[in-house]
Amino acid sequence: MKYRISERNPCPWLKHVSLALLIFGSLPGAAYADEGGVSYWLPGRFSSLAATPQVPGWSMAEVYYHTSVSAFGAVAAARQIQIGRIPATVNVSLDAHLNAQADLLLLNPTYTFGTPVLGGQLAVGITGIFGRSSASIDGTLTAALGPLFATRTGVIGDSITSVGDLYPQATLKWNAGVHNFMTYVTGDIPVGAYESTRLANLGIGHAAIDGGGGYTYFNPATGHEFSAVAGFTYNFKNQDTNYQNGIDFHVDWGASQFLSKQVFVGLVGYAYQQITDDFGQHPILGGFRSRVVGVGPQIGFLFPVGDMQGYLNLKGYGEFAAENRPAGWNTWLTFSISPMAPTSTVAPTRRIVTK
């Protein structure tokens, strides 16, 4: 497949940026919501230039992800109920504080096809994870069954260093000048380290499927860019606990300004909202629908690596408006290598991108 670049889009090097920023379509559930506070979808997976086309061929991205979150009340209660296997017939009151951290390394090989599919550009990949997750609950648990009750005060802590689930993904993208469109599908193959009675896990214990679409506006003449990607997650039942998370809706966005062909700066953000109730939760938790909003800065650099294209990006989010979910902050450091755009595509013509 050959690309012809119009004067409205004379920057094929941007395809390398879009690849690195798009690979987050299959990251692990290190964030917290749903059963015991753990969801499949990790807000912040998509950001700037998510829907722009890429150079065909193999690419590899490595991501270091760090998060630190905390919560009180129902979220801490949910974790305690899960690991303690407290039945629904027992009334529970928990005055506690949950803290959790994760340091993860993610590897994402992706292949972008050169032959158009439905007039768009198809890419497929899979993400694997290795890292450490830790969590602790500090507080008082009171459980009552009729006239009988028991109280326990103290700290419960747990940590694990292992591998996580696998996350396949596929994207299909279309370009029309400064407008770019995409659709995607991803999911969870639950093969990672998981035990229902552990406080910290790297797997989520159940399968999930997620799909949606996105849009990117990019004007290379001004360097202005804006992207937004929205989707829904359907969660399958956790057979170990008979718990099924509700359906989740999420929007990730990014806005950037290119200072040169090698450097851009901007903002990133997300909104996450669970739209249906969980099933199988303790009655004290109610529907246990989760919500969180995050926003923060980003900076990106492009540079050659031999005959390949290198890309480095740093972005961070501060979270707020959380409900039934811990809030805190997270950072993403991404390094990727992808094919260099053919030099023949650098010379601009007056034609829209064609395939």
Side-chain angles (χ1 to χ4, degrees):
M1 176 173 60
K2 296 182 178 179
Y3 292 90
R4 285 182 278 185
I5 310 297
S6 72
E7 289 184 342
R8 289 182 292 172
N9 189 19
C11 299
W13 43 270
L14 287 173
K15 298 172 186 175
H16 308 295
V17 183
S18 66
L19 171 65
L21 295 179
L22 183 59
I23 56 110
F24 307 121
S26 293
L27 293 189
Y32 298 90
D34 300 290
E35 181 183 12
V38 179
S39 67
Y40 160 71
W41 183 259
L42 182 64
R45 297 179 180 186
F46 293 107
S47 53
S48 290
L49 295 162
T52 55
Q54 297 145 31
V55 177
W58 282 102
S59 62
M60 172 64 77
E62 300 85 28
V63 182
Y64 167 67
Y65 173 80
H66 173 81
T67 184
S68 179
V69 296
S70 62
F72 296 89
V75 178
R79 300 299 291 274
Q80 179 78 313
I81 290 168
Q82 177 186 341
I83 64 174
R85 297 291 180 89
I86 299 175
T89 55
V90 176
N91 295 320
V92 177
S93 174
L94 185 65
D95 178 16
H97 182 204
L98 169 71
N99 288 294
Q101 291 186 347
D103 291 279
L104 308 175
L105 177 64
L106 302 113
L107 299 177
N108 175 238
T110 298
Y111 185 77
T112 300
F113 291 88
T115 302
V117 176
L118 299 177
Q121 186 185 65
L122 176 65
V124 296
I126 191 166
T127 298
I129 172 180
F130 174 82
R132 183 177 187 273
S133 176
S134 62
S136 64
I137 297 177
D138 181 5
T140 300
L141 169 68
T142 301
L145 180 60
L148 303 176
F149 70 93
T151 299
R152 184 175 68 182
T153 300
V155 179
I156 302 173
D158 191 19
S159 64
I160 184 172
T161 300
S162 188
V163 297
D165 294 347
L166 291 176
Y167 310 92
Q169 61 184 359
T171 62
L172 191 60
K173 295 180 286 187
W174 299 265
N175 168 261
V178 298
H179 304 290
N180 302 271
F181 307 89
M182 67 165 286
T183 185
Y184 78 90
V185 63
T186 182
D188 184 288
I189 302 175
V191 295
Y194 171 81
E195 292 182 19
S196 61
T197 56
R198 291 186 64 99
L199 186 58
N201 284 293
L202 286 175
I204 62 174
H206 65 84
I209 186 168
D210 186 282
Y215 168 78
T216 292
Y217 170 84
F218 174 68
N219 187 335
T222 62
H224 300 334
E225 179 274 337
F226 175 78
S227 297
V229 181
F232 294 88
T233 303
Y234 178 81
N235 297 282
F236 295 89
K237 181 184 289 187
N238 184 333
Q239 298 300 324
D240 291 334
T241 61
N242 291 319
Y243 194 114
Q244 185 172 9
N245 296 348
I247 296 174
D248 305 317
F249 173 73
H250 48 83
V251 177
D252 294 350
W253 61 268
S256 62
Q257 174 65 50
F258 279 81
L259 307 179
S260 69
K261 288 186 176 182
Q262 288 74 42
V263 180
F264 71 89
V265 296
L267 294 174
V268 289
Y270 52 71
Y272 172 97
Q273 175 67 62
Q274 186 176 338
I275 59 175
T276 66
D277 293 347
D278 291 349
F279 297 94
Q281 70 274 29
H282 194 285
I284 193 175
L285 300 176
F288 206 51
R289 298 191 186 191
S290 305
R291 179 184 68 218
V292 74
V293 179
V295 67
Q298 67 166 328
I299 184 170
F301 302 92
L302 281 161
F303 50 91
V305 179
D307 59 353
M308 302 288 284
Q309 179 69 59
Y311 172 66
L312 189 66
N313 176 266
L314 177 64
K315 62 180 183 177
Y317 299 85
E319 295 182 324
F320 58 96
E323 181 177 340
N324 290 329
R325 173 188 188 103
W329 58 275
N330 56 82
T331 58
W332 311 61
L333 179 62
T334 301
F335 171 70
S336 72
I337 297 179
S338 58
M340 184 74 73
T343 56
S344 60
T345 65
V346 175
T349 71
R350 293 186 177 275
R351 299 185 181 182
I352 300 297
V353 174
T354 58
K355 301 185 176 86

